[in-house]
Amino acid sequence: MPDFVARPEHGIAWISGASSGIGRALALKLAGDGYKVAVTARDHEKLAELQAEASDLPGSIIVLDGDVTNAEDMEHVLASIEYEHGALALAVFNAGVYFPVHAEELNLSDFEQSFAVNLQGVVNCLIPAVRHMKAKGQGQIAVVSSVSGYGGLPTSAAYGATKAALINMAESLKFDLDKMGIRIQLINPGFVDTPVIKKNKFSMPSLVSVEEAAEQISAGLKSQRFEITFPKRFTYMMKLVNLLPYGLYFWLVNRSTGWRERPLEKHARPAMPHPAE
């Protein structure tokens, strides 16, 4: 029996981290497909702008402010969806932050904030969503991870650790969620042209736009695939690279990024988290 594939007539789509980047582009894409899309982020003004931009689309945007690091906020968001707007059919957990980590300047807050948003933030959304979908007997959940979760990359000690954890979590939950009629998928993009990637000081091959990312994710959500990954030539290469012995792996990453030749330097620290949504 095929896994459940959500459609607009099944109910509401919910996207966390929808104020910018992939989340914002995907919200517009799903609204264009006819969904009522509940969008969550901390920046109300950006969500209101998104809602206005979608006003002429077949679907609509529902603004539900909230901070994914606050479990109570996410419980309130889900309650609002359930009691004011309808059944939750599709959830895409996308909120994330990226802090470049340099071993010569390790900072506790980079790790704490990364884990709080990228990992615990997904858990805070996942628990009420699963409870709601379990009661309905069906639903679809997609977790946005990254190819950074396949293996260690320069500056990704915090970000990559959270993404690796999300990959393992989605894989592990699939066994039970399948039996509950809840479909879970894993989204592993390569490099997407969002403001956050401007922090990277190494080559980023096969860069795709947020619009292309939204198209790829939308198509993947309609498929029977567990993993939605793109651009495939790059992401499949990353999978193969991570099968190499460590000696070859580190040599190849150093060679392809030029990281070994970069001198240690003082890095300016951002004052606030930057969304990688």
Side-chain angles (χ1 to χ4, degrees):
M1 181 178 177
D3 292 334
F4 173 75
V5 177
R7 297 192 299 272
E9 58 266 29
H10 291 138
I12 306 297
W14 175 26
I15 302 176
S16 68
S19 61
S20 64
I22 292 174
R24 188 181 192 281
L26 182 61
L28 290 171
K29 171 61 180 170
L30 294 183
D33 290 342
Y35 273 102
K36 287 184 179 180
V37 185
V39 293
T40 301
R42 291 174 297 180
D43 193 325
H44 175 81
E45 185 174 330
K46 287 186 178 180
L47 293 183
E49 291 171 358
L50 174 61
Q51 185 180 48
E53 186 173 344
S55 60
D56 293 330
L57 296 177
S60 60
I61 299 290
I62 303 163
V63 173
L64 297 174
D65 299 333
D67 183 345
V68 296
T69 66
N70 187 318
E72 190 173 304
D73 271 9
M74 295 305 99
E75 289 282 357
H76 290 160
V77 166
L78 201 285
S80 179
I81 291 172
E82 183 171 14
Y83 295 113
E84 298 176 27
H85 303 289
L88 177 64
L90 170 65
V92 181
F93 301 140
N94 164 77
V97 293
Y98 169 55
F99 296 97
V101 171
H102 300 271
E104 67 272 25
E105 298 181 326
L106 290 178
N107 185 280
L108 184 62
S109 68
D110 291 343
F111 291 89
E112 289 179 333
Q113 292 183 73
S114 296
F115 296 158
V117 177
N118 300 358
L119 183 55
Q120 189 62 47
V122 170
V123 173
N124 290 343
C125 295
L126 184 70
I127 289 173
V130 168
R131 186 176 64 245
H132 174 95
M133 291 177 178
K134 179 183 176 183
K136 302 295 181 185
Q138 66 180 26
Q140 183 174 353
I141 293 169
V143 174
V144 179
S145 182
S146 166
V147 295
S148 297
Y150 291 166
L153 296 172
T155 76
S156 293
Y159 181 77
T162 64
K163 297 304 184 179
L166 290 178
I167 291 172
N168 188 290
M169 184 173 70
E171 291 171 347
S172 299
L173 288 172
K174 187 177 189 306
F175 296 102
D176 287 335
L177 292 178
D178 281 350
K179 295 187 288 186
M180 296 161 59
I182 302 172
R183 183 172 178 226
I184 189 166
Q185 289 176 285
L186 182 63
I187 301 173
N188 285 326
F191 294 110
V192 180
D193 191 8
T194 62
V196 71
I197 66 164
K198 292 176 172 54
K199 301 178 190 177
N200 288 339
K201 295 184 178 181
F202 53 85
S203 174
M204 292 173 286
S206 304
L207 190 67
V208 300
S209 68
V210 290
E211 291 79 16
E212 174 62 18
E215 290 285 346
Q216 293 281 353
I217 293 170
S218 176
L221 293 172
K222 298 170 187 172
S223 75
Q224 290 291 320
R225 300 195 304 272
F226 169 69
E227 184 185 32
I228 303 168
T229 184
F230 56 89
K232 287 188 174 60
R233 181 176 295 182
F234 172 69
T235 58
Y236 285 5
M237 179 190 71
M238 291 295 293
K239 286 177 183 284
L240 290 173
V241 166
N242 279 278
L243 296 176
L244 295 173
Y246 275 124
L248 282 175
Y249 173 79
F250 291 125
W251 175 85
L252 185 58
V253 172
N254 270 315
R255 181 178 175 82
S256 61
T257 62
W259 199 256
R260 171 71 78 174
E261 287 71 39
R262 289 185 176 274
L264 295 179
E265 57 187 63
K266 198 72 176 175
H267 302 279
R269 295 184 49 75
M272 293 290 290
H274 291 263
E277 298 160 351

mmCIF file of all heavy atoms in Angstrom, residues 1 6 10 60 73 75 85 96-97 118 191 204 216 258:
data_model
loop_
_atom_site.group_PDB
_atom_site.id
_atom_site.type_symbol
_atom_site.label_atom_id
_atom_site.label_comp_id
_atom_site.label_asym_id
_atom_site.label_seq_id
_atom_site.Cartn_x
_atom_site.Cartn_y
_atom_site.Cartn_z
ATOM 1 N N MET A 1 0.843 -1.193 0.000
ATOM 2 C CA MET A 1 0.000 0.000 0.000
ATOM 3 C C MET A 1 0.882 1.249 0.000
ATOM 4 O O MET A 1 1.799 1.362 0.815
ATOM 5 C CB MET A 1 -0.904 0.006 1.241
ATOM 6 C CG MET A 1 -1.838 1.204 1.320
ATOM 7 S SD MET A 1 -2.911 1.096 2.771
ATOM 8 C CE MET A 1 -3.788 2.650 2.622
ATOM 9 N N ALA A 6 0.157 13.892 1.070
ATOM 10 C CA ALA A 6 -0.774 14.975 1.377
ATOM 11 C C ALA A 6 -1.133 15.763 0.116
ATOM 12 O O ALA A 6 -0.302 15.967 -0.775
ATOM 13 C CB ALA A 6 -0.168 15.906 2.413
ATOM 14 N N HIS A 10 -6.637 17.611 1.887
ATOM 15 C CA HIS A 10 -6.481 16.864 3.136
ATOM 16 C C HIS A 10 -6.366 17.777 4.351
ATOM 17 O O HIS A 10 -6.572 17.326 5.487
ATOM 18 C CB HIS A 10 -5.238 15.972 3.070
ATOM 19 C CG HIS A 10 -5.368 14.832 2.122
ATOM 20 N ND1 HIS A 10 -4.357 14.428 1.278
ATOM 21 C CD2 HIS A 10 -6.412 13.997 1.863
ATOM 22 C CE1 HIS A 10 -4.757 13.402 0.555
ATOM 23 N NE2 HIS A 10 -5.998 13.118 0.901
ATOM 24 N N SER A 60 -3.543 30.073 0.421
ATOM 25 C CA SER A 60 -3.394 31.238 1.295
ATOM 26 C C SER A 60 -2.337 30.974 2.349
ATOM 27 O O SER A 60 -1.920 29.829 2.573
ATOM 28 C CB SER A 60 -4.727 31.580 1.968
ATOM 29 O OG SER A 60 -5.181 30.493 2.760
ATOM 30 N N ASP A 73 5.361 27.451 22.702
ATOM 31 C CA ASP A 73 4.964 28.174 21.488
ATOM 32 C C ASP A 73 4.473 27.215 20.419
ATOM 33 O O ASP A 73 3.463 27.458 19.743
ATOM 34 C CB ASP A 73 6.161 28.961 20.919
ATOM 35 C CG ASP A 73 6.279 30.358 21.501
ATOM 36 O OD1 ASP A 73 5.558 30.680 22.468
ATOM 37 O OD2 ASP A 73 7.118 31.132 20.984
ATOM 38 N N GLU A 75 3.335 24.168 20.768
ATOM 39 C CA GLU A 75 2.058 23.569 21.173
ATOM 40 C C GLU A 75 0.907 24.527 20.842
ATOM 41 O O GLU A 75 -0.143 24.107 20.360
ATOM 42 C CB GLU A 75 2.072 23.260 22.671
ATOM 43 C CG GLU A 75 2.973 22.113 23.065
ATOM 44 C CD GLU A 75 2.370 20.751 22.762
ATOM 45 O OE1 GLU A 75 1.225 20.674 22.289
ATOM 46 O OE2 GLU A 75 3.065 19.736 23.009
ATOM 47 N N HIS A 85 -8.222 26.344 12.139
ATOM 48 C CA HIS A 85 -8.010 26.278 10.691
ATOM 49 C C HIS A 85 -8.271 24.912 10.073
ATOM 50 O O HIS A 85 -8.591 24.833 8.887
ATOM 51 C CB HIS A 85 -6.587 26.726 10.365
ATOM 52 C CG HIS A 85 -6.268 28.113 10.856
ATOM 53 N ND1 HIS A 85 -6.813 29.242 10.283
ATOM 54 C CD2 HIS A 85 -5.494 28.538 11.893
ATOM 55 C CE1 HIS A 85 -6.372 30.313 10.927
ATOM 56 N NE2 HIS A 85 -5.586 29.914 11.915
ATOM 57 N N GLY A 96 16.251 26.924 10.955
ATOM 58 C CA GLY A 96 17.630 26.589 11.263
ATOM 59 C C GLY A 96 18.524 27.806 11.299
ATOM 60 O O GLY A 96 18.212 28.849 10.726
ATOM 61 N N VAL A 97 19.646 27.672 12.002
ATOM 62 C CA VAL A 97 20.670 28.700 12.024
ATOM 63 C C VAL A 97 22.010 28.059 11.708
ATOM 64 O O VAL A 97 22.203 26.858 11.893
ATOM 65 C CB VAL A 97 20.759 29.417 13.391
ATOM 66 C CG1 VAL A 97 19.510 30.232 13.663
ATOM 67 C CG2 VAL A 97 21.004 28.416 14.519
ATOM 68 N N ASN A 118 18.190 24.075 15.517
ATOM 69 C CA ASN A 118 18.205 23.081 14.442
ATOM 70 C C ASN A 118 17.728 21.707 14.869
ATOM 71 O O ASN A 118 17.120 20.984 14.076
ATOM 72 C CB ASN A 118 19.620 22.949 13.871
ATOM 73 C CG ASN A 118 20.159 24.235 13.300
ATOM 74 O OD1 ASN A 118 19.482 25.256 13.285
ATOM 75 N ND2 ASN A 118 21.390 24.200 12.836
ATOM 76 N N PHE A 191 24.049 22.998 -1.650
ATOM 77 C CA PHE A 191 24.173 24.424 -1.378
ATOM 78 C C PHE A 191 23.031 25.192 -2.046
ATOM 79 O O PHE A 191 22.819 25.075 -3.252
ATOM 80 C CB PHE A 191 25.516 24.955 -1.879
ATOM 81 C CG PHE A 191 26.692 24.388 -1.128
ATOM 82 C CD1 PHE A 191 27.559 23.503 -1.747
ATOM 83 C CD2 PHE A 191 26.917 24.745 0.191
ATOM 84 C CE1 PHE A 191 28.639 22.983 -1.058
ATOM 85 C CE2 PHE A 191 27.993 24.217 0.891
ATOM 86 C CZ PHE A 191 28.857 23.335 0.263
ATOM 87 N N MET A 204 31.503 26.455 -3.294
ATOM 88 C CA MET A 204 30.196 25.821 -3.100
ATOM 89 C C MET A 204 29.650 25.404 -4.469
ATOM 90 O O MET A 204 28.937 26.161 -5.129
ATOM 91 C CB MET A 204 29.240 26.781 -2.392
ATOM 92 C CG MET A 204 29.619 27.064 -0.959
ATOM 93 S SD MET A 204 28.614 28.350 -0.196
ATOM 94 C CE MET A 204 29.291 29.815 -0.999
ATOM 95 N N GLN A 216 12.025 21.555 -6.171
ATOM 96 C CA GLN A 216 12.513 20.195 -5.916
ATOM 97 C C GLN A 216 11.835 19.590 -4.692
ATOM 98 O O GLN A 216 11.451 18.415 -4.692
ATOM 99 C CB GLN A 216 14.033 20.232 -5.714
ATOM 100 C CG GLN A 216 14.831 20.597 -6.944
ATOM 101 C CD GLN A 216 14.998 19.434 -7.900
ATOM 102 O OE1 GLN A 216 14.619 18.299 -7.602
ATOM 103 N NE2 GLN A 216 15.568 19.690 -9.052
ATOM 104 N N GLY A 258 40.082 23.800 -0.710
ATOM 105 C CA GLY A 258 41.262 24.628 -0.499
ATOM 106 C C GLY A 258 41.486 24.979 0.957
ATOM 107 O O GLY A 258 42.232 25.909 1.279
#
